[in-house]
Each structure stands twice: as C-alpha cells, then as structure tokens.
Amino acid sequence: MLEPQAGAGDLAAASPWADEYHHHRRIPIDCCEIDVGKHDVLRAKGFNVVGIDFLAFSGGAMYSHIVCNPPFLTATKHLLKAWEILWDGEISGLVNSETIRNPYTRERQLLVNLIERHGEVEFIEGAF
C-alpha cells in the first residue's frame, strides 16, 4: 500500500493493512510526504518513506492499493497521478465533493470520466 501526502501517517495507521502480517512479516506500507520534518514520525510508526513529492513519484506499479487524502486544492492532480502510476490495483481517495460534482476543468472532467468507467463515489454528508 502507498499513502501519498501521508502527513503524520494517520490514514496509513487506520488502514486494514497496518497490523496485518503475511508469512510472519508485517505487510509494508509506504508513504510519500513532502514535509521532511514528518519523515521521522512516519518511520517511528513503522512506515517506509519512499518519496517526497508524490506528483513526481514514478514507482507505483508495485502497489496493490493507493490510499490518499490529498490537499483539496490538488486532489484532482493526486488522483490522476495515482491512476497514472498504479499498474493493477485500487485507489481510494478522500476529496471534497465539489471535485466530483463540479467538473469545470479538463482535469476534473477526466477524473469524473475515469470514475464513471472504472470506479465509484460515496458522498459522506456532513463529514467536514
């Protein structure tokens, strides 16, 4: 699993893989985080820091899951980047509902089209 823009790793820590083991080894969770000051926090939680800027990251083919809560201003770019680098797997992203409901840019239109063809959306009312 990869968590882009991991921050302090709270989303990664809440994932079902955080405590799972395979062949007596913990399933690795990798993170990208642009704030290098948070890298020690991520490592202390047992995560591997594999990149700084997710939007420049290119090693996604090895992951089966990308789970993210990107900054709302760049959420579309992050989800499209996840789609671009993931070879075969699932992407789960927490984004502002306006990103999907108001596809006024070419990037948002592409994202909505990809979701319509390959995924689904769950709107969580009152979450924020």
Side-chain angles (χ1 to χ4, degrees), residues 1-9 29-40 42-43 47-60 62-63 78 81 85:
M1 181 188 120
L2 174 68
E3 184 187 352
Q5 299 295 108
I29 297 177
D30 294 346
C31 299
C32 289
E33 175 50 47
I34 204 156
D35 181 353
V36 295
K38 294 181 180 168
H39 289 192
D40 286 341
L42 292 167
R43 289 186 187 102
F47 306 131
N48 305 312
V49 178
V50 296
I52 294 175
D53 182 0
F54 176 67
L55 296 176
F57 189 72
S58 63
M62 65 184 277
Y63 299 103
H78 279 80
K81 178 67 176 188
I85 66 171

Side-chain angles (χ1 to χ4, degrees), residues 5-98:
Q5 299 295 108
D10 295 336
L11 189 59
S15 78
W17 300 280
D19 293 318
E20 286 199 22
Y21 289 81
H22 183 66
H23 296 289
H24 306 290
R25 289 184 43 203
R26 186 170 175 224
I27 294 174
I29 297 177
D30 294 346
C31 299
C32 289
E33 175 50 47
I34 204 156
D35 181 353
V36 295
K38 294 181 180 168
H39 289 192
D40 286 341
V41 173
L42 292 167
R43 289 186 187 102
K45 291 182 178 181
F47 306 131
N48 305 312
V49 178
V50 296
I52 294 175
D53 182 0
F54 176 67
L55 296 176
F57 189 72
S58 63
M62 65 184 277
Y63 299 103
S64 62
H65 294 79
I66 296 177
V67 179
C68 60
N69 182 12
F72 287 161
L73 289 176
T74 57
T76 303
K77 286 181 181 356
H78 279 80
L79 291 171
L80 291 174
K81 178 67 176 188
W83 176 261
E84 174 190 320
I85 66 171
L86 189 66
W87 176 253
D88 183 26
E90 294 184 23
I91 300 166
S92 181
L94 299 168
V95 299
N96 186 305
S97 63
E98 281 301 300

Side-chain angles (χ1 to χ4, degrees), residues 72-77 96-113:
F72 287 161
L73 289 176
T74 57
T76 303
K77 286 181 181 356
N96 186 305
S97 63
E98 281 301 300
T99 301
I100 307 303
R101 289 184 171 147
N102 187 11
Y104 68 90
T105 66
R106 180 171 258 128
E107 283 180 329
R108 284 187 179 190
Q109 291 166 6
L110 176 58
L111 179 61
V112 168
N113 188 302

